[in-house]
Amino acid sequence: MAELLLKWVNEEGRLGRAVTDLEHDFKNGYLLGELLYQYNQLPNFPRMQDKHSPDVEISNYCILEPVMRSLGIPFDAKTAQRIMDGKAGVASGVIYQLKVKFETMQRGCAPVSLRKMQEGVVPLPMMRERHAKPSYDAASHRVFEGRIRRLVPKANELLETRCLSRFSAEGQRQHEVERLGKERDNRAHLEKTRRQRTERMHVKLQEQAVAEAQARQELITWNKNQRRAAGRRAAQRRFLSTTLDARKTRREQAVRAATVEFESGVTLFETGTLARVQSVDKLGVGDRKEKVAAEKFTERRRRKFLSDAEDTQIVEYKSMGYSMLQNQLTRSCRRDVRTEQEDETIHRHVAMYEENRAYRSGQYEARAAQDAAEAIAVDNHVYGLSERKYDRDVRRHEDIQVLLQEARTVAAQKRAADVAAGVLNGIVHLALEVAEVRRFGGAFLENADAKEGGAAWMPEALWRDMVSTFVQSPQGDAQGPGEPTYALAVAAGLPLPPLPEPKAEEPAEGEVEAAAKEEADAKDAEEPA
């Protein structure tokens, strides 16, 4: 729809410039007036101006409003204000209604002239669809103008907005810089946190890999130690078996040696005894009693030797039995061996647990120190951000104070210049008035001077009357206490004129219509028949 209207405006509207955006190009109402002029509906189009200022736009729409009303197109102050604001679809809607109206007029109305178009103006009739109501139309026009002036911002407000726009732009820029700074700091903090988390995960994975490698190495070492312990136990068992075998062999050797020694001693004893008996028998001397006594002595010695040998062997056998019984009683059983092995394993695992616990405690302490350092770093970062924000706010407020002081200084200088210009203009205007009076009433003033003795250059009463008249002139009405005319009145010693009354609010529509009707009736009464 908008593209079709844009094409119609550019091709059939015959405007002074190409239109690219309906809402933007038709904001000030100038192109609307030109479009109406091209279709012979706005003869006072030259009064319109192609400028973008509140007063010019209001003037343009005040010119357009009667024509729109005569064409029967709804066009009130709110519609005009929305077109001035560039609201989407408002200008397009008005242009579409104009297009429909022009096409209807071209189809159903005869042209006002049989001549061809001159200066691009389509010869359409310019007639109202309803009878004219001068009073009502004038009142409606005044109401339209009053409403659009209330809706459109004042020139002072626009000037104030334009003057304060740099402060607003600076504030927005600073807010944007602050927002970008916060976003940058947040991204940096998130990136740092992500990097720290990644580093911690990497360190944790490395520690886990080291722990697994250490556990595998410890398992290998434990298996090796188990094999070594099994080898030591086997060697101990072999050593014990070898020791027992050697002890048994030594005992058997001792028994055999003792037996051999005993047998050799008995044989030697018997041989010696037999030799002495034979020697006695050979000699043939002695008594039978001595022989018997010798035999008895030999028998006693033999028995004593045998009893001593038997006692020695019995003691050895008993001690050997005692040692064997003690070894059997003190030998560890399988359950004791298994218990000792379990105790050894438990002690070894307790040592490993204590070592691992010390290692983990060291890791926990290191992690706690790292967390404390990170918390301190975060606090320092937040403090730095707050400090930078505070510095930016302080600098911004200082800049605002400097700009406000400059604005106050410029305003004071402008005010002083305006006051001085007003005083000088008032004095010059009064001097010109006095000169005009003296120029046109020279003879009268000379007679007055002669009557008064020629002492005054102008009669006092006339001078005071002129000053009073100037003070109460329209120039004085727009001024208040402290302005030039008041200063001149006080200097001349005149009574001060009353202050100008505040402007009354605009009347309602009914009041405007009633006033317009009364004014029209008064004009009709004054006009000659």
Side-chain angles (χ1 to χ4, degrees):
M1 183 66 182
E3 295 178 357
L4 295 176
L5 288 176
L6 192 63
K7 182 178 179 181
W8 177 79
V9 168
N10 288 321
E11 292 181 358
E12 300 185 15
R14 295 171 295 277
L15 301 180
R17 65 171 183 269
V19 178
T20 57
D21 188 354
L22 295 177
E23 277 70 22
H24 181 267
D25 293 339
F26 282 82
K27 283 177 64 174
N28 61 353
Y30 180 80
L31 292 182
L32 276 175
E34 187 177 1
L35 185 62
L36 290 170
Y37 175 74
Q38 294 297 334
Y39 282 88
N40 197 29
Q41 301 299 316
L42 188 64
N44 55 350
F45 169 69
R47 291 172 54 193
M48 300 183 69
Q49 301 180 20
D50 190 8
K51 296 181 180 180
H52 291 277
S53 66
D55 294 334
V56 173
E57 292 178 357
I58 291 173
S59 176
N60 290 342
Y61 283 103
C62 288
I63 295 173
L64 291 175
E65 188 268 337
V67 181
M68 292 293 187
R69 189 170 0 96
S70 66
L71 292 175
I73 296 175
F75 191 80
D76 54 0
K78 187 174 292 185
T79 303
Q81 188 263 338
R82 294 177 65 186
I83 295 176
M84 291 168 67
D85 292 341
K87 298 292 184 181
V90 182
S92 302
V94 174
I95 295 171
Y96 176 74
Q97 295 181 23
L98 289 175
K99 176 179 179 296
V100 172
K101 179 62 67 175
F102 294 156
E103 291 177 353
T104 303
M105 294 172 65
Q106 287 177 347
R107 288 196 304 268
C109 299
V112 298
S113 176
L114 297 178
R115 292 176 297 176
K116 295 183 179 181
M117 291 187 301
Q118 295 181 359
E119 299 179 357
V121 178
V122 180
L124 291 180
M126 188 176 57
M127 297 179 64
R128 297 176 179 268
E129 293 186 355
R130 59 179 180 83
H131 295 291
K133 299 178 181 179
S135 302
Y136 176 77
D137 293 342
S140 299
H141 186 69
R142 287 196 296 272
V143 170
F144 175 82
E145 184 175 0
R147 284 185 176 179
I148 196 172
R149 287 190 182 279
R150 284 197 300 269
L151 292 174
V152 176
K154 305 297 187 295
N156 292 335
E157 295 178 358
L158 292 176
L159 182 60
E160 180 182 1
T161 303
R162 192 178 300 112
C163 292
L164 296 178
S165 61
R166 56 174 181 173
F167 300 106
S168 302
E170 180 65 20
Q172 293 178 0
R173 187 188 67 79
Q174 292 182 1
H175 285 302
E176 184 67 18
V177 170
E178 184 178 0
R179 185 182 64 80
L180 293 177
K182 287 183 178 179
E183 291 181 357
R184 184 171 59 253
D185 295 337
N186 291 334
R187 286 196 298 269
H189 180 66
L190 290 176
E191 184 65 25
K192 181 180 178 181
T193 305
R194 191 180 297 109
R195 186 170 60 255
Q196 291 176 352
R197 187 181 295 110
T198 304
E199 292 177 356
R200 287 198 297 269
M201 291 295 296
H202 181 66
V203 171
K204 188 175 181 180
L205 291 175
Q206 288 184 346
E207 292 177 353
Q208 185 177 359
V210 171
E212 291 177 356
Q214 187 175 0
R216 289 194 297 270
Q217 186 64 30
E218 290 178 354
L219 182 60
I220 294 172
T221 305
W222 184 78
N223 292 328
K224 188 184 295 183
N225 293 334
Q226 290 293 324
R227 289 194 296 271
R228 288 179 181 177
R232 285 195 297 270
R233 288 193 293 272
Q236 187 177 5
R237 286 195 296 272
R238 289 195 299 272
F239 175 75
L240 292 175
S241 177
T242 303
T243 304
L244 291 176
D245 293 342
R247 190 179 298 173
K248 183 177 180 181
T249 301
R250 284 195 300 272
R251 283 198 298 269
E252 290 177 355
Q253 290 177 358
V255 170
R256 285 195 297 270
T259 302
V260 171
E261 183 181 0
F262 173 75
E263 289 176 355
S264 62
V266 170
T267 301
L268 181 60
F269 178 77
E270 289 178 351
T271 301
T273 304
L274 182 58
R276 284 194 299 270
V277 170
Q278 289 176 0
S279 64
V280 171
D281 292 339
K282 287 179 180 181
L283 290 175
V285 292
D287 193 14
R288 185 69 176 170
K289 294 181 178 180
E290 294 180 356
K291 184 177 178 181
V292 173
E295 291 178 357
K296 290 181 178 180
F297 178 73
T298 304
E299 185 68 22
R300 285 197 301 272
R301 290 189 60 186
R302 180 174 174 279
R303 290 178 178 178
K304 184 178 180 182
F305 177 76
L306 290 175
S307 62
D308 292 337
E310 289 177 357
D311 293 337
T312 302
Q313 290 181 355
I314 289 170
V315 171
E316 290 180 356
Y317 286 146
K318 285 183 178 180
S319 61
M320 188 181 298
Y322 291 155
S323 62
M324 291 178 65
L325 180 61
Q326 184 177 3
N327 291 331
Q328 290 179 357
L329 292 176
T330 57
R331 186 181 62 183
S332 299
C333 61
R334 293 179 181 178
R335 186 175 183 83
D336 295 337
V337 172
R338 192 161 52 250
T339 303
E340 290 177 358
Q341 292 177 356
E342 291 177 355
D343 292 340
E344 183 181 359
T345 303
I346 289 171
H347 288 304
R348 184 171 60 254
H349 281 288
V350 167
M352 292 173 61
Y353 170 77
E354 292 177 353
E355 183 179 357
N356 292 336
R357 189 62 184 174
Y359 176 72
R360 290 298 180 187
S361 299
Q363 285 184 337
Y364 293 153
E365 292 177 357
R367 184 60 199 174
Q370 184 178 357
D371 292 341
E374 291 178 357
I376 293 173
V378 170
D379 293 340
N380 292 332
H381 180 67
V382 173
Y383 175 75
L385 291 177
S386 301
E387 186 178 5
R388 288 195 294 273
K389 182 178 180 299
Y390 176 76
D391 293 339
R392 288 197 298 269
D393 293 341
V394 170
R395 288 194 296 272
R396 184 171 69 252
H397 286 297
E398 290 177 354
D399 296 339
I400 290 173
Q401 291 296 327
V402 171
L403 293 174
L404 287 176
Q405 187 64 31
E406 292 178 356
R408 290 194 186 97
T409 303
V410 172
Q413 293 176 356
K414 187 176 183 302
R415 179 67 176 175
D418 292 341
V419 171
V423 171
L424 291 176
N425 289 334
I427 293 173
V428 171
H429 190 272
L430 183 58
L432 292 175
E433 291 291 335
V434 171
E436 289 292 326
V437 170
R438 290 184 62 85
R439 184 166 66 85
F440 289 104
F444 174 76
L445 293 178
E446 290 177 358
N447 295 331
D449 292 343
K451 291 179 181 179
E452 295 180 4
W457 62 280
M458 179 178 285
E460 183 69 20
L462 181 59
W463 163 249
R464 294 175 65 86
D465 183 65
M466 291 183 66
V467 172
S468 177
T469 302
F470 177 74
V471 168
Q472 297 178 0
S473 64
Q475 295 180 354
D477 292 341
Q479 300 171 354
E483 297 296 334
T485 55
Y486 273 76
L488 290 174
V490 173
L494 296 175
L496 293 176
L499 292 175
E501 295 293 335
K503 293 183 179 180
E505 297 183 355
E506 295 183 0
E509 295 183 8
E511 296 177 358
V512 172
E513 293 177 1
K517 186 174 182 181
E518 293 177 0
E519 183 180 358
D521 295 339
K523 288 183 178 179
D524 294 338
E526 292 175 359
E527 291 178 358

